[in-house]
Amino acid sequence: MKLSSSFRVPAAPERVFTHFLDPDSMQACVPGCQELVKVDDTHYRGRLVNEVAHVRFSAGFTAEITELAGPGQVRATLRGEDRRLGSTIKIEADLSVREDGAADRSCVEFGLDVALWGKIGRLGESIVRRRTEEVERQFAADFSRVCAAGPPGPENSAVRELLATGGAGRRAEQAPQAVPQTASPAQPAQADGPQVVPPRRMPWWRRLVALLTGRIAAARR
């Protein structure tokens, strides 16, 4: 499955690109990323938890930067596995950052080649694509906020807040919101207190039998 998109960020390209290589910034912005550690200059490892069509996917993953093609361009490969589901994922990613009309604005363009196996893969491309687009929108919003707050590091207030809260509004394990229940016309909502149950109407044939039986008994007396 191939995906491509772009979004704009209110920060200079140099700052934007350094955030992409910073593990704290990426953990704060990637929905469901619970852990991300930089092993060396080109290798990362972490854990990703997400949900696709009510199937919870929890995978340890590794990421490798395979190419740095000049300033603002990177190619990477991510591999992850959820042994419980018997599912694996592989993502080949290409990303570039360029100036967007002004020195303090950037355009981020990326392409993803996603391969899924196991239970997640059997959900179907349309379902996975729809979930991926939701994740992309949330990432773009959080990443823009992080870049606008300053360079990577402990002084970036947006990174600190997102890491502390787990990323408000984008946690992969949120409980579903309750849907307000309204009473239907056939079954109105009941008021508090003891309820008066109206007597059930006797079927017509029972009323007829009771009437005839009563008349016969009266005639015999």
Side-chain angles (χ1 to χ4, degrees), residues 47 57-60 80-88:
R47 174 159 295 277
F57 181 77
S58 177
E81 180 181 12
D82 185 331
R83 295 182 178 179
R84 181 181 60 86
L85 292 180
S87 297
T88 57

Side-chain angles (χ1 to χ4, degrees), residues 27-93:
Q27 181 181 342
C29 297
V30 174
C33 186
Q34 296 189 345
E35 178 188 1
L36 186 59
V37 177
K38 185 176 182 179
V39 178
D40 55 40
D41 287 343
T42 58
H43 294 85
Y44 300 78
R45 59 177 172 80
R47 174 159 295 277
L48 184 66
V49 176
N50 223 302
E51 189 172 292
V52 183
H54 305 295
V55 177
R56 185 176 180 274
F57 181 77
S58 177
F61 70 87
T62 60
E64 178 186 5
I65 296 175
T66 56
E67 184 178 351
L68 282 171
Q73 293 184 322
V74 64
R75 175 172 294 175
T77 300
L78 182 148
R79 294 180 174 86
E81 180 181 12
D82 185 331
R83 295 182 178 179
R84 181 181 60 86
L85 292 180
S87 297
T88 57
I89 181 172
K90 179 182 178 182
I91 300 175
E92 299 281 355

Side-chain angles (χ1 to χ4, degrees), residues 8-9 21 26 39 63 66 80 91 106 125 129 159 163 181-182 202 207 218:
R8 288 170 170 76
V9 180
L21 302 179
M26 295 304 288
V39 178
T66 56
I91 300 175
S106 302
E125 180 175 331
R129 183 181 294 273
V159 171
L163 288 177
Q181 300 295 323
T182 57
M202 185 181 295
R207 296 200 304 273

Side-chain angles (χ1 to χ4, degrees), residues 156-174:
N156 191 296
S157 58
V159 171
R160 290 202 312 269
E161 182 179 347
L162 287 169
L163 288 177
T165 61
R170 62 176 180 82
R171 294 180 64 88
E173 297 178 278
Q174 287 179 333

Side-chain angles (χ1 to χ4, degrees), residues 10 24 35 55 72 107 110 118 126 131 148 183 195:
D24 289 338
E35 178 188 1
V55 177
C107 179
F110 66 88
S126 61
R131 177 57 180 153
Q195 304 298 315

